[in-house]
Amino acid sequence: MAEVTRVPLQPIRKGSLTKLWLGVVALLLVGAAVAWAAAPNVQRLADGVTMVTLEEGKGLNPGPADYVLVNYIGSLPDGTVFDQGEAAPMQVNRVVPGFSTALQAMQVGGSYRINIPSDQAYGEQGGGPIPPNSDLTFEVDLLEHHTEAEVMQMMQQQQMMQMLQQQQGGQVPPPAQ
C-alpha cells in the first residue's frame, strides 16, 4: 500500500471566507463589465434583421423614400462576396426589404454589419449569384443621405444647367462675379 503524506489543516480565520467570496464576486463582476464593454452594439430590427454598429454615425435616419450613398460588401453565409459597391446611390425603398429596414436605422458617417434572413432578402427564388433561401450579411458605410425632395431639386438644377449649355452651343457660362 502507498504511503499518504498528510498535511495538517489550519483553521480559517474569522472573516476570511467572506473576504474570499467577495473577491471572487468582484472578479466576476469586473470580467462581466469588460465583456459587456467589448461586445458589439447589436440591434434587433424588424422581421429578424440584426445590425451591429461598428462606428457611430450622426444625424437623422433615412426614411423609406429617401436616397442614400453607401459603400457596401454583400456576402453569403460561407463568406463568398456576391456584390459590392463604392459610393453607390440607392433609394431606400427600392432595395430588398431587410436592407431597407437596416438603412432606416443608420446615420451618416456610420459603419454597420447587417444580417438579413432569407425571407427579407431574395427568399426561395434566390437571385443571380445568391442561392435560394440564403441569409445575407452586408458591411455598410452610410456616406450621404438626402430626402426625395432634395434629390428632385438637384435633378431639376442639373436639367436646367444642361439646357443652358445646349442654348449656348455647349459652352459653359463663366461663373458670376
Side-chain angles (χ1 to χ4, degrees):
M1 185 174 230
E3 186 175 318
V4 177
T5 305
R6 297 176 193 247
V7 178
L9 295 176
Q10 298 293 323
I12 297 176
R13 284 186 240 155
K14 190 173 186 177
S16 295
L17 194 54
T18 303
K19 289 178 185 175
L20 177 65
W21 277 111
L22 286 175
V24 168
V25 169
L27 187 60
L28 288 173
L29 288 175
V30 168
V34 168
W36 180 79
N41 180 11
V42 178
Q43 289 180 275
R44 301 199 185 296
L45 307 176
D47 300 317
V49 176
T50 60
M51 182 170 79
V52 176
T53 301
L54 304 173
E55 186 175 327
E56 293 284 334
K58 293 182 182 175
L60 300 174
N61 304 94
D66 292 349
Y67 290 80
V68 295
L69 198 63
V70 296
N71 292 338
Y72 71 93
I73 298 173
S75 57
L76 299 172
D78 67 0
T80 302
V81 173
F82 63 84
D83 193 15
Q84 60 187 16
E86 286 191 25
M90 52 185 73
Q91 190 172 13
V92 174
N93 62 6
R94 302 268 181 184
V95 295
V96 295
F99 200 84
S100 177
T101 297
L103 284 171
Q104 293 176 66
M106 295 179 185
Q107 294 175 301
V108 172
S111 294
Y112 307 90
R113 179 179 307 114
I114 57 176
N115 293 300
I116 303 173
S118 66
D119 66 325
Q120 293 299 304
Y122 292 91
E124 294 178 359
Q125 311 87 312
I130 301 169
N133 300 313
S134 292
D135 296 340
L136 305 178
T137 299
F138 286 89
E139 301 280 334
V140 181
D141 299 326
L142 181 55
L143 306 174
E144 290 183 34
H145 150 241
H146 296 283
T147 65
E148 187 174 28
E150 290 171 331
V151 170
M152 293 303 155
Q153 184 179 8
M154 287 187 273
M155 290 172 61
Q156 287 175 347
Q157 289 174 346
Q158 188 176 19
Q159 287 174 349
M160 287 178 60
M161 289 298 292
Q162 288 174 348
M163 286 176 29
L164 285 173
Q165 284 179 346
Q166 288 174 353
Q167 288 174 353
Q168 295 176 358
Q171 300 285 327
V172 177
Q177 304 242 358

